[in-house]
Amino acid sequence: MGEDWVSNIKGSGTVQIKMHDGMVRKLDCWYVPKFWKNLISLGTLAKNGMRYACEGDWVKVTIGSLVIMKGKMNREGIYILEGSWGYMSEKGMSVLSKQGLLGGEATGKIKFYEACVKGKHHEVKFGTVQHTSKEIMEYVHSDLWGPAPLKSQGGCSYFVTFIDDYSRKV
């Protein structure tokens, strides 16, 4: 560590980080009580097949051509990851408590947040229907895709299609 001080690793596990593009990624981590900031080792990312590049005040971490993380440098010269840290489950808190890593604090039931549960829903299935259009613009199919890992030349991150059921024009 800087200034010749040492800190012990008290535990390890996996954290979820919501990235700049909305994707949630898992990272292996260490619990070091004396750290007052969450740090990501660029060397460890490189060992896991990721690349990073610094351009001006920005750092980008990529796998192939896909940008999976990006951060902006603050006044102290530290890159701050764009995204947000997830929170630990009730079970995870219980494990840390049993290992004595919460400073003697007891854990209990975590309050249920409906918005968090709904936010984790990824897919909705639609029923199948038989529909036969008899004229143009009677029935229009639409699909939205995104966010794209790279923005278009116009700065857009999403793609939308409209298909007329009768003429099949897109």
Side-chain angles (χ1 to χ4, degrees):
M1 300 289 185
E3 299 181 13
D4 290 330
W5 64 273
V6 176
S7 184
N8 294 324
I9 298 168
K10 295 288 187 177
S12 64
T14 304
V15 294
Q16 292 184 352
I17 303 176
K18 186 173 186 179
M19 298 297 163
H20 68 281
D21 59 358
M23 294 292 296
V24 176
R25 304 215 186 276
K26 292 182 180 181
L27 291 176
D28 292 332
C29 67
W30 294 334
Y31 172 57
V32 182
K34 289 187 179 179
F35 272 10
W36 52 276
K37 293 266 187 193
N38 294 317
L39 302 176
I40 297 175
S41 164
L42 293 177
T44 301
L45 295 177
K47 286 180 187 175
N48 287 299
M50 298 174 215
R51 294 177 185 239
Y52 60 91
C54 302
E55 293 179 26
D57 290 346
W58 289 93
V59 63
K60 291 183 182 179
V61 179
T62 59
I63 296 177
S65 62
L66 178 65
V67 176
I68 61 165
M69 292 183 221
K70 64 182 180 178
K72 185 168 175 132
M73 188 184 297
N74 68 9
R75 290 184 203 152
E76 291 81 33
I78 296 173
Y79 291 105
I80 305 297
L81 182 68
E82 285 199 339
S84 57
W85 295 86
Y87 52 87
M88 187 172 277
S89 68
E90 189 175 305
K91 182 179 177 184
M93 292 291 285
S94 177
V95 168
L96 287 180
S97 178
K98 287 176 185 172
Q99 294 175 354
L101 299 175
L102 298 180
E105 295 293 322
T107 61
K109 281 290 205 193
I110 294 177
K111 186 175 178 183
F112 176 76
Y113 290 98
E114 184 177 350
C116 289
V117 173
K118 286 184 177 178
K120 293 182 190 307
H121 288 207
H122 297 290
E123 186 177 311
V124 176
K125 293 198 176 210
F126 295 95
T128 57
V129 288
Q130 295 293 330
H131 183 82
T132 305
S133 297
K134 302 199 183 349
E135 60 184 79
I136 293 175
M137 297 298 289
E138 177 185 334
Y139 195 82
V140 178
H141 303 271
S142 180
D143 191 20
L144 176 67
W145 178 85
L150 297 174
K151 291 190 178 207
S152 71
Q153 289 180 340
C156 298
S157 298
Y158 291 85
F159 182 79
V160 65
T161 59
F162 299 97
I163 304 170
D164 178 64
D165 190 70
Y166 182 78
S167 67
R168 307 307 291 172
K169 295 281 183 187
V170 177

